[in-house]
Amino acid sequence: MENNKKVLVIDDEAQIRRVLELKFKNRGYQVIMAKNGEQGFDIIQKQKPDIVISDINMPIMDGKTLCEKTNGLKKYRSFLTIIITARINPEDRDWIDTLQDTLFMEKPFSPARIVEAVEQYIGGQG
Amino acid sequence: MIDLGTFKALLSSLVPVSRTHYQIWGNNKEMIFSTEGAVSKELHVKECQNLSNRITVQNGFQYSVHDGENFLCGIPLRDNQGVFAALLAYGRKPNRSFRYEAGNDTEADHPEEMERFLNNLKMFVEENLTAKEEAEELAHELDQSFEDLYLYGKISTQIKMLTFSDKMLKNLLEEILENMRVDAAFAWFPDNVQYNFKVIAPKIYNKFLAPESCFENLIHLIPPDAPILNENYFIINDSQENAQYKALAMDPYRFLAVKVQHLENFYGWLGLVSFDLNEIFRQGELKLLRSLAEQLAGVIANTDLYKNLELFIINMVKSLVFAIEAKDVYTRGHSERVSKYSMLIGEQLGLSDKEYNNLKWASILHDIGKIGIPENILNKPDRLTDAEYAIIKEHPRKGGEILKPMEQLTDSIPSIIHHHERYDGRGYPQGLKGEEIPLGARIIAVADTFDAINSVRPYRGAKSQEQALAIVEEVAGSQLDPNIVEIFKKVYKENLIIEKEEKICPIVQNTMTLKKSVAIK
């Protein structure tokens, strides 16, 4: 069950953090959590997670700014970003397409599907 | 399963300060944890195992002394299901100088101290574990409600489609199957078998002994007096509990069905089957399925209402047509034939569904205004006076007025009002010209002209279809739209019209014979 992958969950809602923490811990992942983009960015730089799951609307630093900032880091180290958002408009979709290794899930999301997406990405990496 | 991480760390740090070692033994007589890499020479694993056994069985504190100076004691650890482990402590019994509170009988004091100490440790770990378990349970429930919410969101998009259709039901069941992680999802409508639908995971199909009728059987076996039916659902969490249900499949399964019902109208059932007995149908799933069934019933009810309304209009139109035909014996069957020819032209033209529907109503009702014209004028065998002809010319406008209150027919009215316009602009009531005349009206004009020539009129006999077509061709461009006439010719040449008359409308033929006899008289 142990698995050396690190998942970072960035969301200002405690229940979303809690659900994803349980989901990934039960599958042997190490889970780190952050409440906003700024905390999240700090953790991404210092702890180098393999998967980042982030909300869009958050205080202090929102998910968009975070993604713009972390996309540059992906040149040196690839990791998966999953954006969870309430509504996705066509411009957002286009914007996500410009980002490297980035998926989105619409809220209400299915935690099981997020796990599936992560495992597919990890499986694809070999 | 239980994570004792923090507790293990605490025990390890207690070793140097308490000069005691600690072990945790599970119920299965296996050591889970020890603060000492290898068990010390003084104590054999066997002794520890025996003690942990005694603790678990007797469910209380145990203390013993070996070789006069070594002690071994322990206490049970419980969770909400009872004793799950034994916490053991062992070491050298403290000497007098080490003890801070010397009593007369040190032999008796040490076990008491150890019991108090271990009891405090035990309370610490148990409370911790309970809190952790509760938090985990909450997170698990939260996870389930996230899944339910997701499914609900996805499915309500499907269900929002206004009308009920096979495709909609299929999509709905597929979503349920995939997202509720069951092996089969089905809809069973006993009075509307055409609605019945099932989606089944391929791997389980052969598990039912009669796969074709399994869903029917599942529903039929529901005991009509089951108290749970008052709540509009039925559930079996293990088919082995019911002999009849057990007999339906080779492996045990669970089954949940909810009624699809809107107000007092019962339509059928929405059902789920799963062969995974490690799970049960949760309250959340039941709630979700019930709410889906309710929405589905709402959609069916709407569709039924819509269909009823459509049927009502059809019947009303039929009554109106009967009303004109009762009045004007010469036009008997005429409305239906004009409608048929118009529809054939409409098909050739590739009209949209909406245009086609409007043409259908307009063509069958084009002469409805004749209801307002005196019978003696309608059926007059002699040439009409100018005044009488002026009255006849009122019928398209009157038709529009009669149908005005029927909202559903609003879009058909222009084609009725203008079906006597001429392509060259010399027609009535408004003298519209060419493309100004609504397309429907131009189509009806061709069909109407052809059938009028082909039928008996009070003032003349009927001409053959070939003659009628020749006349129609002659007036193309003046009276009739030449493009429509071209299409009509095509339809005619493909024998579609004659075929229709012979095969589908024997009644029409009879009325034609009747007309001829009237004419001879």
Side-chain angles (χ1 to χ4, degrees), chain A residues 15-16 18-19 22-23 108-113 116, chain B residues 135-136 139-140 142-143 146-147 149-150 178-179 181:
Chain A
Q15 42 171 341
I16 291 184
R18 197 75 189 79
V19 163
L22 169 92
K23 215 68 195 170
F109 66 88
S110 150
R113 273 163 203 262
E116 273 168 31
Chain B
E136 209 147 290
H140 186 70
L142 207 55
D143 176 42
F146 269 63
E147 296 291 350
L149 210 61
Y150 165 77
E178 193 188 331
N179 292 292
R181 293 168 199 265

XYZ file of all heavy atoms in Angstrom, chain A residues 15-16 18-19 22-23 108-113 116, chain B residues 135-136 139-140 142-143 146-147 149-150 178-179 181:
221
model
N -13.585 20.670 4.188
C -14.156 19.354 3.875
C -13.563 18.758 2.597
O -13.386 17.556 2.496
C -15.673 19.415 3.804
C -16.214 20.631 3.094
C -17.703 20.515 2.868
O -18.260 19.433 2.920
N -18.354 21.631 2.620
N -13.238 19.631 1.650
C -12.623 19.117 0.426
C -11.222 18.601 0.739
O -10.831 17.514 0.300
C -12.595 20.219 -0.660
C -14.038 20.472 -1.107
C -11.713 19.814 -1.833
C -14.186 21.447 -2.243
N -10.236 17.444 3.569
C -10.383 16.246 4.399
C -10.687 15.015 3.531
O -10.130 13.946 3.722
C -11.522 16.493 5.397
C -11.554 15.579 6.562
C -10.462 15.935 7.572
N -10.373 14.911 8.606
C -9.752 13.751 8.451
N -9.151 13.473 7.316
N -9.724 12.860 9.428
N -11.613 15.182 2.590
C -12.019 14.058 1.749
C -10.846 13.572 0.910
O -10.561 12.381 0.849
C -13.187 14.465 0.834
C -13.349 13.479 -0.306
C -14.470 14.554 1.629
N -8.171 11.776 3.041
C -8.543 10.400 3.369
C -8.357 9.492 2.162
O -7.772 8.415 2.238
C -10.011 10.359 3.809
C -10.610 8.966 3.927
C -10.462 8.445 5.332
C -12.068 8.951 3.511
N -8.872 9.970 1.030
C -8.859 9.188 -0.195
C -7.437 8.780 -0.575
O -7.165 7.637 -0.908
C -9.451 10.090 -1.285
C -10.278 9.432 -2.325
C -11.568 8.892 -1.853
C -12.086 7.956 -2.921
N -13.212 7.192 -2.471
N -19.798 19.775 -8.648
C -19.332 18.814 -7.661
C -18.506 17.709 -8.321
O -18.949 17.146 -9.314
C -20.636 18.252 -7.085
C -21.671 18.488 -8.127
C -21.243 19.685 -8.889
N -17.349 17.443 -7.746
C -16.486 16.443 -8.345
C -16.616 15.119 -7.612
O -17.136 15.050 -6.503
C -15.031 16.925 -8.328
C -14.448 17.049 -6.952
C -13.828 15.971 -6.343
C -14.514 18.254 -6.261
C -13.282 16.088 -5.065
C -13.977 18.368 -4.984
C -13.366 17.285 -4.390
N -16.130 14.078 -8.276
C -16.147 12.760 -7.663
C -14.740 12.460 -7.173
O -13.820 12.389 -7.982
C -16.598 11.735 -8.699
O -16.014 10.490 -8.432
N -14.552 12.303 -5.840
C -13.219 12.021 -5.326
C -12.623 10.780 -5.997
O -11.435 10.751 -6.310
C -13.447 11.795 -3.835
C -14.696 12.544 -3.520
C -15.539 12.449 -4.750
N -13.468 9.770 -6.247
C -12.968 8.538 -6.857
C -12.376 8.822 -8.234
O -11.379 8.229 -8.626
C -14.104 7.531 -6.954
N -12.988 9.743 -8.981
C -12.489 10.048 -10.316
C -11.169 10.803 -10.258
O -10.341 10.701 -11.154
C -13.521 10.853 -11.094
C -14.488 9.929 -11.791
C -15.742 10.648 -12.219
N -16.796 9.657 -12.364
C -17.158 9.129 -13.521
N -16.579 9.497 -14.629
N -18.103 8.226 -13.561
N -8.642 8.200 -9.744
C -8.428 7.493 -11.016
C -7.503 8.295 -11.933
O -6.581 7.744 -12.536
C -9.760 7.275 -11.742
C -10.474 6.002 -11.308
C -11.916 5.965 -11.809
O -12.193 6.532 -12.887
O -12.756 5.375 -11.101
N -13.219 10.621 13.146
C -12.830 11.576 12.113
C -12.781 10.879 10.758
O -13.217 11.421 9.741
C -11.475 12.180 12.442
N -12.270 9.650 10.780
C -12.149 8.926 9.535
C -13.528 8.554 8.986
O -13.774 8.636 7.785
C -11.319 7.671 9.762
C -10.603 7.288 8.514
C -9.251 6.642 8.777
O -8.328 7.349 9.210
O -9.181 5.453 8.530
N -14.988 11.591 7.485
C -14.379 11.868 6.188
C -14.908 10.903 5.137
O -15.132 11.267 3.985
C -12.865 11.761 6.290
N -15.144 9.669 5.567
C -15.675 8.666 4.650
C -17.094 9.036 4.205
O -17.437 8.969 3.030
C -15.663 7.300 5.329
C -16.061 6.183 4.434
N -15.268 5.743 3.404
C -17.188 5.437 4.389
C -15.876 4.774 2.771
N -17.053 4.558 3.344
N -18.316 11.985 4.213
C -18.160 13.179 3.395
C -17.809 12.772 1.964
O -18.345 13.297 0.997
C -17.030 14.017 3.997
C -17.068 15.513 3.761
C -18.373 16.096 4.209
C -15.908 16.179 4.499
N -16.912 11.806 1.884
C -16.491 11.298 0.579
C -17.698 10.759 -0.178
O -17.915 11.073 -1.349
C -15.448 10.201 0.811
C -15.014 9.536 -0.485
O -14.812 10.262 -1.471
O -14.878 8.301 -0.498
N -19.875 13.496 -1.402
C -19.276 14.123 -2.579
C -19.623 13.323 -3.827
O -19.983 13.879 -4.854
C -17.745 14.201 -2.432
C -17.256 15.462 -1.814
C -17.612 15.787 -0.518
C -16.437 16.326 -2.511
C -17.152 16.953 0.069
C -15.980 17.500 -1.934
C -16.332 17.807 -0.645
N -19.514 11.988 -3.691
C -19.822 11.125 -4.838
C -21.297 11.262 -5.222
O -21.644 11.356 -6.393
C -19.511 9.653 -4.528
C -18.049 9.335 -4.273
C -17.158 9.448 -5.512
O -17.690 9.599 -6.634
O -15.926 9.423 -5.342
N -23.285 13.761 -4.660
C -23.521 15.092 -5.209
C -23.088 15.151 -6.674
O -23.761 15.712 -7.526
C -22.691 16.091 -4.394
C -23.248 17.482 -4.285
C -24.597 17.445 -3.609
C -22.283 18.356 -3.492
N -21.941 14.543 -6.921
C -21.401 14.505 -8.281
C -22.370 13.774 -9.211
O -22.725 14.256 -10.284
C -20.043 13.805 -8.255
C -19.535 13.382 -9.607
C -18.989 14.312 -10.489
C -19.604 12.047 -10.007
C -18.522 13.926 -11.723
C -19.140 11.657 -11.238
C -18.602 12.595 -12.096
O -18.149 12.206 -13.319
N -22.545 3.396 -13.802
C -21.139 3.746 -13.682
C -20.842 4.428 -12.349
O -19.860 4.110 -11.683
C -20.765 4.677 -14.839
C -19.272 4.828 -14.977
C -18.913 5.901 -15.981
O -19.713 6.121 -16.909
O -17.853 6.506 -15.823
N -21.706 5.345 -11.968
C -21.375 6.164 -10.814
C -21.786 5.562 -9.486
O -21.196 5.848 -8.464
C -21.988 7.555 -10.966
C -21.317 8.310 -12.086
O -20.163 8.657 -11.977
N -22.023 8.515 -13.188
N -21.668 2.467 -8.946
C -20.852 1.264 -8.867
C -21.669 0.026 -8.528
O -21.388 -0.694 -7.590
C -19.700 1.484 -7.880
C -18.752 2.516 -8.448
C -17.746 3.039 -7.475
N -17.216 4.297 -7.975
C -16.089 4.401 -8.681
N -15.360 3.368 -8.953
N -15.686 5.573 -9.116
